[in-house]
Amino acid sequence: MRYVVIMAGGSGTRLWPLSRQGTPKQLLPLVEGRSLLRLAFERSLASVPAERILVVTGAAYADEVAAQLPELPADNILGEPVGRDSLNAVAWPAAVLARRDPDAVIAQVTADHVIEPIDVFVRCLDTAFAVAEADADALVTLGVVPTSPHTGYGYLHRGEALAGFEGAHAVVQFAEKPAREVAEGYLASGEYWWNAGMFVWRATTLLEQLRLLLPATYASITELAEHPERLADIFPGLAKTSVDYGVMEPVSAGHGSAHVAAVALPVQWRDVGGYASLAEILAGDSAGNAVSGLSVAIDATDNVVVNADAGSVIGLLGVSGLVVVRTPQATLVARAEDAERIKELVAAVTLEAGPQFA
Amino acid sequence: MRYVVIMAGGSGTRLWPLSRQGTPKQLLPLVEGRSLLRLAFERSLASVPAERILVVTGAAYADEVAAQLPELPADNILGEPVGRDSLNAVAWPAAVLARRDPDAVIAQVTADHVIEPIDVFVRCLDTAFAVAEADADALVTLGVVPTSPHTGYGYLHRGEALAGFEGAHAVVQFAEKPAREVAEGYLASGEYWWNAGMFVWRATTLLEQLRLLLPATYASITELAEHPERLADIFPGLAKTSVDYGVMEPVSAGHGSAHVAAVALPVQWRDVGGYASLAEILAGDSAGNAVSGLSVAIDATDNVVVNADAGSVIGLLGVSGLVVVRTPQATLVARAEDAERIKELVAAVTLEAGPQFA
């Protein structure tokens, strides 16, 4: 049977003060009142019913996840007591689902992007499921067809087409985040896709690669699936590593016992990592302001304005090119061109105002 | 006996959102945690004891005034059920005090300025009291010795010196707010002082001028002093007019039975009417930001930053020349050079967001 696992960890410092340690960006009502997690859940419902969707998140966020996804069975939320990087966010649900269903085929999807159109995404996911079902040795990755020479993503170099599956290819190799010129060459070649961090595989296939490549992780994670009450003991002891570094790259290089395939994902794939990208998904007014929540503007143009403090108003007068954000605990006023430096500001706020604001 | 009446009405729209309909600027903790009203009260205590200080304010603000001035007897707060301009804010306390003390000499002072040095102010007020005590026909006004050709104030043209009272002069006439060139001429002449809207007179002398010049107001205000329980009946029926227009200008022109004198007030007299003037009295940081309340700044210069929302922080990143204000109900972000246009923004906020924010 098919399952979808949504990965919803991370804190999203670049969206401070919307995102804070207690409220990572995936849980914020950024898109017409819905969170990125909720959007990912609704996309997943197009593939499988709610009882076959799992969410991997920080233990501290489990209650909020349950509140946002009332359709989700409580057992389907896996709360990590500490962050242990992406490898364990795929290994743990694989071990859990292999016990529930030895034939489980899992799509691991992210929750920090806005993806459009959704029907294309659902169709590609269906193809990836079909590849993994047809080939018990395949680890399938979704490759976003690039629309720009982005230097912030890893890439994958696709090889020959897999007959019978539209948009499916073998993978020649994974490539790290490239320099600008390299990325431009990738884009021009048409042979490189963004590594979206989304995968489809049989639970047993992934676990077998773990057994071969990372036996300590394999032992711990199967122990955890058998004894969930030992979570607090076992999880902190897991090695911190990424799924790319721990599994996908070694397998694509011939280690392990599987091989890597990729399915093209020709969608708008917007990483809502900062205010510039958030602005693209917010409603715009006639003066070029991207707006969410209650605000009033006079002679104000090209601002990103987010009011996430119910019962308050933001008034703008004569300002341009700013990011203005209000939450119950904080107000941010930044030049848009400095918005990528918000981590510096969060560090200063932590030091000068106190960690409760960070 | 000497009395001081502090006038603390008005809403101060130019300080929105700090000042709102429910909290006029005089009641805001603008100066190191103290309000302008509190500062005016403390200045007054240097002249008379608390039981001889009265506050005229809007009825809606009476509780807040009492909270800020716990030393003040409850009977000494005169709450106007509706605003009826400055004439009635001097006539009502004069009628009340004339009944308590037929020899009352009253200093009417404002609460919307920061005045320094205080000892000079106290000494000048003492001189003005002495003039009014020595001359039962004198209406004494305080004339601020101008430091700039300000076009936002009325002026008074002083005449000959009054022997025996330092800085006291007769007044030739009152002048309306002047054009720039006229104001420059006033400043150069040395014979014109700003009309500070602060006066000293015997209660009976003022009431006699009212009887002669404005008999209907006189009748109503003496009726009110005798029957304070009829406040809601009588007060709304009073004609709306200013003390300058109703009394000072006619008397200086030879009407009534008194004459006008002025005492020089050589002080820093800062009208905290808007953010530019507020900035002058706030603490400055090394980057030229004027700051009140909790905020953290990186690469931010020459901003006015006021955080009046306890439990929150303002973070600034890369911005210059802004006014940034946070209250529990609103956030203002304005270019400093547009700060005089805040009334327009308040009107738009009222219309688009609702009157509860104005």
Side-chain angles (χ1 to χ4, degrees), chain A residues 242-278:
Chain A
S242 74
V243 61
D244 288 326
Y245 188 79
V247 173
M248 301 309 287
E249 292 175 20
V251 168
S252 75
H255 305 289
S257 65
H259 60 90
V260 179
V263 170
L265 195 53
V267 294
Q268 283 270 0
W269 192 65
R270 289 178 174 141
D271 176 14
V272 189
Y275 284 107
S277 47
L278 179 60

Side-chain angles (χ1 to χ4, degrees), chain B residues 87-88 91-92 95-96 99 206-228 230 233-235 237-239:
Chain B
L87 178 73
N88 298 296
W92 185 17
V96 166
R99 287 180 58 84
L206 179 73
L207 291 169
E208 176 63 8
Q209 306 317 303
L210 292 174
R211 192 181 68 79
L212 296 171
L213 298 167
L214 297 158
T217 292
Y218 174 79
S220 295
I221 221 81
T222 49
E223 177 82 3
L224 175 56
E226 281 169 39
H227 300 287
R230 296 191 50 209
D233 276 348
I234 295 173
F235 209 86
L238 290 167

Side-chain angles (χ1 to χ4, degrees), chain A residues 11-25 28 273-275 278 306 323-327 329-334 339 341-350 353-358, chain B residues 295-296 312-317 326:
Chain A
S11 71
T13 312
R14 283 186 300 146
L15 283 174
W16 184 88
L18 291 179
S19 57
R20 296 168 67 223
Q21 301 200 326
T23 315
K25 68 176 177 184
L28 299 170
Y275 284 107
L278 179 60
V306 180
V323 174
V324 177
V325 182
R326 178 181 170 120
T327 68
Q329 293 81 22
T331 295
L332 168 70
V333 181
R341 296 175 56 203
I342 283 177
K343 282 188 183 190
E344 292 174 47
L345 183 63
V346 176
V349 165
T350 305
Q356 71 273 27
F357 295 112
Chain B
S295 67
V296 174
S312 79
V313 67
I314 294 175
L316 299 186
L317 178 58
R326 178 181 170 121

Side-chain angles (χ1 to χ4, degrees), chain B residues 243-313:
Chain B
V243 60
D244 288 327
Y245 188 79
V247 173
M248 301 308 287
E249 292 175 19
V251 168
S252 74
H255 306 290
S257 65
H259 59 91
V260 179
V263 170
L265 195 53
V267 295
Q268 283 271 0
W269 191 64
R270 289 179 175 140
D271 176 14
V272 189
Y275 285 108
S277 47
L278 179 60
E280 293 177 13
I281 62 169
L282 295 180
D285 71 11
S286 58
N289 300 298
V291 176
S292 173
L294 186 60
S295 67
V296 174
I298 290 184
D299 292 346
T301 55
D302 300 319
N303 302 287
V304 181
V305 188
V306 180
N307 187 353
D309 187 11
S312 79
V313 67

